[in-house]
């Protein structure tokens, strides 16, 4: 079905559009091939609309017309051939005559949509037109569909260029959605819609329409966001059913099993059904084979096939299919770890019994795969099946990250009397201790974990006892204590896979927040190189490593790397993670780059999915308040800051975010004395808790506010890794020295720190004014204004006095021509002025801008 006329924007196909237009210009013609709904017809229409000068005849292949000779061209062909005239020549002559009648000029171009449905005569005509050069030809065909031999020969015989049109990428889906919805779309919503639609434009449009009609997709806080799972409309279901087509009973069984169990090993599926039925379904593109290590697995050809197929199964049929899958996988021997997880889930969903040990093992694997909701479900099922303390301990950790530490603590306290073996006592103590630390009960958490460290005897449990104690120390802001606990963990024999991964992740974390970025990055890079060997065993490790990467890269000035790590963290499979709030890191990068509005958007992505009682929520709210303050939205900033302060108060490092945001909320309200006081307080808090990265930013905020950090900021150069601390220290030393401030501003700009660059340049202008050097002051002020323009909507105390350079329209025009390289005489000739007048206008503009010559104009031009 064509999407032409849908009103949706045409984006993401620039390369293919250029290729089609070039093929038409060269006289080769082109065949556009792709799956149903990917936008073949729209691409062809855009190519015709942007390629004027042709006399166009359009045709459409349909099942009805395919039963009639020349059926696709019946609307332009009249009467039978005269006197035994060759039918193809007769048809070609009629097309040329019809085109001339309508267009009166231009070369004939025949455009055929769905050419795979052409009747034999129409297909032969299209081949004749392309082969004889009687017309240029543009056709669309559906990939995987049988084609008439003349149509297939068009590209096999190289009469036409063939262009494969793939589904839209996630980025392209985002562009389409932004244009179609008329506003910004949250990144998580884009990812979900791209995954559900498979990049198919037709399906995407129907999913979006159904979601909007059902209230599941709406604009909130300036962004379009989904809420809950998106439902299918009747129209979308019918479209997908039409694409699936008729299935016999064997084929339906194959498709249902894949829909409930994908990805499925081909051997397993064949053992449950028949090899020939699997082959028939695969040949139709309803399932596709993908390589998974040494195994070949089958997935549905499109995500929506599963929605339709599963929706067509009743409760009893669904349970029967799931039991078949579980029994078949168990009969195969559960050779891979995930086999046990999948079999347990199928057992659970089918209502059939599963062994308690199997459920606990499956719950651990789900937790290791960052799927806390599934882990919770499996752990509860294990407890009901009689699994005991191990299942309760696992449930406790999972409930903690789902924001329900109260329920976790209650369940763990009830289970304490049942923890009789060392294994049970260890797991119970670790879960209870981490939950207490998470809830802010530091003293009790440390007591529980210290008792475990004194009484346990197995080296593996002792390792974990000290690692969990280190986590409690980190939450409380005792980074030195955490480092000592981690060192003790490594004294208890060779580290287990789980113990080593968890210990290394906390070592990287401690190093990052205490300013040792290089050590943190080295630990993280080494561990992440072998992530597949430990990720299932150590559920806390991967998000902790990513958090450490974000912090280490930000504190050392590696903004691109910090952004990449934050986005990777936000895309981890589970919406609720053992370490979350990655949007705070991503937003901080945007803020440092001067994009406060972008920072707000990133915060919105995380806030839409984080549990209300999640402690990491505080740092995201703090970053949101910080961005709102920079944008001058002071009342909103104050409200969000109050929420951030309450949520972040439990942990020292999240509290640091809220304290630094408070500085800029006060500054936005014009209370600079309070802002400075809060800045000193934030610096003291960071120093007390060893958060040297936070200390660095707090001391630099003093410099940005017009105060002084004394020697404290320069002294950090010896304690913190990376170029950023040296640059911030250089800013502190340059205060009052206009030339030095200009040099620092240039370094800030080259490092991508546009907000800092604008502020330092504004301080440079102030220093020149104070020294009585007006021309240099005007030049610096113009540069500061231009830099501030690259930080849309942002205002800080250093920037409030910037004024727009007041150029007349004529002066702007002449400055633009000068920046383009024209001489004064050339400008005068272009504008019909005397050379002297042009020169006078240009000099007046130079005086207002505070610059000396043409070489400085280009840099400012984009902002003027």
């Amino acid at each position: 079905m064509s999407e032409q006329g849908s009103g949706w924007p045409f984006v993401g196909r620039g390369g293919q559009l250029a290729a089609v237009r070039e093929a038409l210009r060269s006289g080769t013609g082109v065949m556009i091939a792709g799956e149903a709904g990917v936008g073949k017809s729209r691409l062809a229409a855009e190519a015709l609309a942007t390629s004027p000068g042709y006399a166009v005849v359009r045709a459409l292949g349909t099942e009805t017309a395919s039963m009639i000779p020349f059926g696709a061209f019946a609307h332009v062909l009249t009467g039978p051939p005269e006197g035994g005239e060759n039918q193809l020549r007769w048809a070609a002559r009629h097309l040329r005559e019809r085109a001339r009648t309508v267009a009166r000029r231009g070369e004939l171009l025949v455009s055929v949509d769905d050419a795979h449905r052409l009747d034999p005569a129409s297909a032969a005509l299209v081949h004749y037109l392309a082969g004889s050069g009687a017309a240029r030809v543009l056709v669309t065909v559906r990939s995987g569909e049988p084609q008439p031999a003349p149509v297939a020969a068009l590209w096999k015989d190289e009469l036409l260029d063939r262009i494969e049109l793939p589904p839209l990428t996630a980025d392209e889906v985002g562009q389409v959605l932004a244009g179609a919805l008329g506003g910004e779309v949250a990144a998580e919503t884009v990812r979900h819609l791209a995954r559900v639609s498979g990049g198919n434009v037709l399906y995407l449009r129907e999913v979006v329409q159904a979601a909007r009609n059902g209230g599941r997709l709406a604009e909130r806080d300036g962004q379009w966001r989904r809420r809950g799972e998106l439902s299918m409309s009747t129209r979308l279901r019918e479209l997908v059913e039409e694409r699936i087509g008729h299935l016999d009973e064997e084929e339906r069984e194959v498709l249902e099993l894949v829909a409930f169990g994908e990805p499925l090993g081909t051997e397993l599926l064949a053992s449950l059904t028949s090899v020939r039925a699997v082959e028939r379904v695969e040949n139709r593109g309803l399932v596709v084979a993908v390589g998974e290590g040494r195994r070949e697995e089958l997935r549905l050809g499109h995500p929506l096939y599963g929605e339709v197929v599963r929706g067509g199964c009743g409760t009893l049929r669904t349970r029967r299919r799931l039991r078949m899958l579980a029994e078949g996988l168990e009969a195969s021997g559960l050779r891979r770890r995930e086999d046990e997880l999948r079999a347990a889930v199928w057992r659970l969903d089918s209502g059939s019994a599963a062994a308690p040990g199997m459920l606990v093992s499956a719950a651990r694997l789900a937790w290791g795969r960052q799927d806390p909701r599934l882990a919770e479900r499996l752990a509860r099922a294990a407890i009901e099946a009689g699994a005991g303390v191990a299942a309760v301990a696992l449930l406790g950790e999972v409930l903690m990250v789902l924001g329900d530490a109260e329920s976790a603590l209650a369940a763990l306290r009830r289970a304490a009397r049942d923890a009789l073996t060392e294994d049970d006592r260890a797991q119970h103590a670790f879960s209870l201790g981490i939950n207490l630390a998470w809830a802010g009960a530091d003293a009790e958490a440390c007591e529980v974990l210290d008792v475990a460290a004194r009484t346990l005897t197995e080296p593996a449990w002792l390792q974990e006892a000290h690692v969990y104690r280190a986590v409690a120390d980190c939450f409380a802001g005792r980074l030195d204590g955490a480092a000592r606990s981690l060192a003790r963990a490594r004294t208890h024999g060779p580290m287990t896979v789980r113990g080593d991964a968890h210990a290394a992740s906390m070592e990287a974390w401690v190093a990052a927040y205490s300013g040792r970025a290089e050590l943190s990055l080295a630990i993280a890079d080494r561990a992440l190189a072998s992530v597949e060997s430990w990720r299932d065993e150590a559920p806390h490790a991967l998000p902790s490593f990513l958090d450490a990467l974000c912090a280490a890269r930000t504190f050392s000035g590696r903004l691109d790397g910090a952004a990449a790590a934050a986005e990777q963290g936000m895309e981890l499979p589970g919406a609720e993670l053992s370490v979350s709030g990655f949007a705070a890191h991503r937003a901080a990068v945007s803020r440092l780059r001067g994009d406060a509005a972008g920072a707000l958007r990133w915060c919105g992505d995380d806030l839409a999915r984080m549990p209300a009682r999640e402690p990491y929520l505080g740092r995201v709210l703090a970053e949101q308040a910080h961005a709102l303050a920079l944008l001058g939205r002071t009342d909103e900033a104050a409200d969000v800051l109050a929420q951030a302060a309450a949520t972040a108060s439990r942990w020292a490092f999240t509290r640091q975010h809220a304290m630094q945001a408070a500085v800029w909320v006060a500054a936005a309200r014009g209370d600079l004395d309070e802002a400075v006081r809060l800045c000193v307080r934030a610096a003291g808090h960071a120093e007390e808790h060893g958060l040297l990265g936070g200390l660095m930013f707090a001391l630099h905020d003093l410099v940005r506010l017009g105060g002084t950090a004394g020697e404290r900021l320069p002294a950090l150069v010896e304690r913190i890794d990376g170029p950023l601390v040296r640059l911030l220290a250089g800013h502190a030393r340059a205060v009052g020295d206009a030339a030095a401030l200009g040099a620092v501003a240039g370094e800030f700009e080259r490092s991508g720190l546009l907000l800092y660059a604008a502020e330092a340049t504004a301080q440079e202008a102030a220093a020149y004014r104070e020294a009585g050097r007006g021309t240099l002051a005007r030049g610096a002020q113009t540069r500061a204004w231009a830099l501030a323009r690259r930080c849309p909507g942002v205002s800080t105390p250093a920037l409030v006095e910037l004024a727009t350079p007041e150029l007349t329209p004529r002066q702007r025009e002449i400055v633009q021509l000068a920046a383009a390289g024209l001489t004064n005489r050339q400008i005068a000739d272009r504008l019909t002025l005397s050379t002297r007048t042009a020169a006078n206008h240009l000099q007046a503009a130079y005086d207002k801008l505070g610059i000396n010559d043409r070489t400085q104009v280009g840099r400012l031009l984009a902002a003027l």
Side-chain angles (χ1 to χ4, degrees), residues 57 69-82 84-100 108 110 119-129 132 134-135:
V57 171
F70 295 113
F73 292 94
H75 61 295
V76 290
L77 297 177
T78 57
E82 299 176 359
E85 183 180 7
N86 178 282
Q87 288 189 337
L88 296 182
R89 292 179 180 173
W90 161 78
R93 176 170 57 81
H94 266 264
L95 292 181
R96 288 194 299 271
E97 291 173 356
R98 171 60 181 262
R100 292 193 190 103
L108 176 62
V110 175
D119 60 274
S122 295
L125 173 59
V126 172
H127 186 275
Y128 171 76
L129 293 170
S132 66

Side-chain angles (χ1 to χ4, degrees), residues 545-807:
F545 274 125
L546 292 175
D547 190 86
L549 286 177
C550 291
R553 289 171 177 172
T554 298
F555 294 148
S556 61
R558 299 170 169 93
L559 297 189
D560 289 343
E567 291 174 33
Q568 186 179 352
M570 293 177 73
E571 292 176 5
L572 286 173
E576 304 90 357
L577 306 167
S578 53
V579 175
S580 58
F582 284 99
H585 288 299
R586 185 61 185 83
V589 171
S590 292
R591 171 173 52 79
L592 291 168
R593 288 172 170 166
D595 182 12
L600 282 183
R601 291 192 294 272
W602 285 110
C603 290
D605 280 350
D606 248 17
L607 292 174
R609 63 178 185 163
M610 292 179 73
R613 288 174 286 179
E614 156 72 78
Y616 282 91
L617 177 65
R619 71 177 179 185
V620 182
L621 288 169
E623 195 59 53
Q624 184 182 42
H626 197 151
L628 286 167
L630 293 179
L631 292 170
R633 295 160 61 176
T634 53
D635 290 342
E636 293 175 76
D639 290 343
V640 174
L641 179 63
Q643 299 174 50
T647 310
S649 61
R650 279 183 262 171
W651 300 347
F653 72 95
T654 55
R655 192 159 61 242
Q656 186 70 28
H657 286 267
M659 295 177 78
Q660 291 180 211
V663 172
W664 293 98
V665 173
R669 287 176 158 173
D671 191 346
L672 294 188
D673 289 341
E674 175 67 1
V676 169
R677 187 188 71 79
L678 291 171
C679 206
V680 172
R681 182 168 169 249
H685 177 271
E687 183 82 76
E688 176 187 355
H689 294 289
L691 301 168
L692 296 192
L695 176 60
M696 174 184 71
F697 280 123
L699 293 175
H700 185 244
D701 283 350
L702 278 175
V703 177
R704 295 171 61 202
L705 290 168
T708 176
E711 288 302 312
R712 293 182 69 190
L713 184 51
L716 287 180
V717 171
E718 301 301 322
R719 302 172 65 190
I720 296 178
D721 295 341
L724 181 57
V725 67
R726 293 192 291 273
L727 184 51
L728 300 186
H731 189 189
R733 291 193 187 98
V735 171
D737 184 337
L741 285 166
V744 167
E747 287 297 319
F748 278 142
E749 184 178 5
R750 284 187 286 276
S751 300
L753 298 161
L754 294 183
L755 178 55
Y756 290 176
E759 290 176 326
T761 308
Q763 291 173 340
E764 175 194 1
Y768 276 129
R769 278 196 301 273
E770 189 172 339
R773 305 182 70 176
T775 300
L776 292 176
R778 286 194 297 276
Q781 183 157 329
T782 298
R783 293 194 302 277
W785 176 82
L787 286 164
R789 282 285 297 271
R790 295 165 64 187
C791 307
V794 172
S795 179
T796 68
L799 302 180
V800 292
E801 296 182 0
L802 295 180
T804 303
E806 297 295 337
L807 300 184

Side-chain angles (χ1 to χ4, degrees), residues 472-547:
D473 284 333
C474 287
F475 287 169
R478 297 184 295 268
L479 299 194
D480 288 344
R484 288 192 294 272
S485 293
L486 292 169
R488 281 195 288 270
R490 294 194 178 278
T491 65
H492 292 284
M495 297 293 286
T496 64
V497 170
R498 174 184 168 92
D500 187 49
H502 277 152
S505 71
M506 293 312 300
E507 287 162 349
W509 197 96
V510 169
Y513 281 85
S514 58
R516 292 170 292 162
E518 300 308 321
L519 174 61
S520 177
L521 295 174
I523 295 170
D525 289 345
R526 184 167 57 249
L528 290 172
S530 58
V531 62
E532 295 305 324
S533 68
W534 52 258
R535 68 180 300 166
D536 292 345
E537 300 285 343
H540 298 285
L542 180 57
S544 295
F545 274 125
L546 292 175
D547 190 86

